[in-house]
Amino acid sequence: MADAAALKEKAGRAALSFVEDGMRLGIGTGSTAEAFIRVLAEKVTTGLRITGVATSKRTAELCGELGVPIVTLDEMPELDLTIDGADEIDADFRLIKGGGGALLREKIVAAASARMVVIADASKCVETLGAFPVPIEVNGFGLTATYIGIRKAAERLGLSGEITMRLAGAEPFITDNGHLILDASFGRIPQAEALSEALHAVPGVVEHGLFLRYASDAVIARSDGVEVRHNRPA
Ligand code: 5RP
């Protein structure tokens, strides 16, 4: 059986088929996105011309090291395509993202893109979202009030479970945007759209990791091949 790194590389390499010369490209965050960046860099070295927008400081740094051209989203606010990883993907192309803490920039970049291709190995495919805790990016001000607001909003939808502040070692994890992340272990989320709306209605919530209408395509790597799925026609 192929190991995890090989599957990520396989997904990244297969995603290259979506990238055309001259494209304005959103570039994701995480280990699968990193595998994609490495194969993309090979193509750039041999002449592929793209202009990238990074979804995190980490991604921007790696692109810089590997010679993948990067501009800011303000310099190039409309993109042809974003390629990014996910923590979970269901049959309706709904995602949980943010395991790497970059969900806010990832969502802004995906929203600015005509298409979003999700790259993952088959372990990320689920029937119902929620085994992976939903990352929720929150403002540090009034953290406890925001926490209570999230808990009550979830309870109204019949969801409960631990909500923990993400740490980096002994300190709170701070996002690229200077916010905190609460990881909500709700378990199965049958009404993801309702939860998304309810979380957005809590004032201290900056953004959450439910990506419900973004993915246009998915590239799923398995040990015996790569499956490409389309949510909408190209
Ligand atoms: C980062 C993300 C990542 O795309 C997601 O966590 C998947 O990461 P990996 O490819 O390392 O499993 O959303 O915020």
Side-chain angles (χ1 to χ4, degrees):
M1 191 166 120
D3 70 10
L7 290 180
K8 287 169 208 240
E9 206 220 301
K10 214 163 155 181
R13 212 165 270 288
L16 279 177
S17 67
F18 287 87
V19 181
E20 293 168 18
D21 199 49
M23 267 190 167
R24 302 163 295 174
L25 194 64
I27 304 179
T29 297
S31 55
T32 317
E34 195 177 305
F36 167 71
I37 295 166
R38 293 187 187 281
V39 294
L40 177 69
E42 289 168 18
K43 290 283 178 195
V44 168
T45 310
T46 55
L48 177 74
R49 289 164 303 165
I50 59 101
T51 309
V53 167
T55 52
S56 63
K57 292 180 183 169
R58 196 156 89 236
T59 288
E61 269 167 35
L62 182 63
C63 288
E65 281 164 28
L66 298 177
V68 175
I70 289 293
V71 298
T72 67
L73 189 58
D74 283 320
E75 289 167 318
M76 205 172 61
E78 291 182 289
L79 306 176
D80 299 300
L81 172 69
T82 282
I83 296 187
D84 202 349
D87 300 298
E88 282 189 350
I89 172 166
D90 76 6
D92 295 319
F93 292 80
R94 298 181 299 183
L95 318 172
I96 291 182
K97 285 185 51 55
L103 66 102
L104 175 58
R105 293 190 186 197
E106 288 172 332
K107 202 176 269 190
I108 293 171
V109 169
S113 305
R115 301 189 76 80
M116 177 193 191
V117 175
V118 183
I119 49 177
D121 62 73
S123 70
K124 305 288 184 66
C125 297
V126 298
E127 209 169 292
T128 308
L129 297 178
F132 192 91
V134 180
I136 306 170
E137 183 154 345
V138 297
N139 200 295
F141 178 83
L143 179 63
T144 307
T146 302
Y147 166 87
I148 292 169
I150 291 171
R151 193 161 47 73
K152 286 187 174 165
E155 275 168 11
R156 283 193 287 273
L157 294 169
L159 297 171
S160 58
E162 249 192 289
I163 302 173
T164 54
M165 186 166 70
R166 191 176 298 182
L167 300 175
E171 301 298 320
F173 174 90
I174 306 290
T175 69
D176 282 352
N177 321 296
H179 303 128
L180 303 166
I181 291 199
L182 298 176
D183 288 304
S185 300
F186 293 138
R188 272 182 95 252
I189 303 169
Q191 300 169 273
E193 281 77 9
L195 178 62
S196 168
E197 266 182 46
L199 292 175
H200 278 146
V202 178
V205 170
V206 179
E207 194 44 87
H208 59 68
L210 292 167
F211 284 52
L212 304 181
R213 290 180 308 275
Y214 293 96
S216 56
D217 311 87
V219 173
I220 308 295
R222 305 174 195 282
S223 50
D224 59 351
V226 175
E227 182 193 354
V228 179
R229 296 186 200 157
H230 303 289
N231 188 21
R232 49 179 194 259

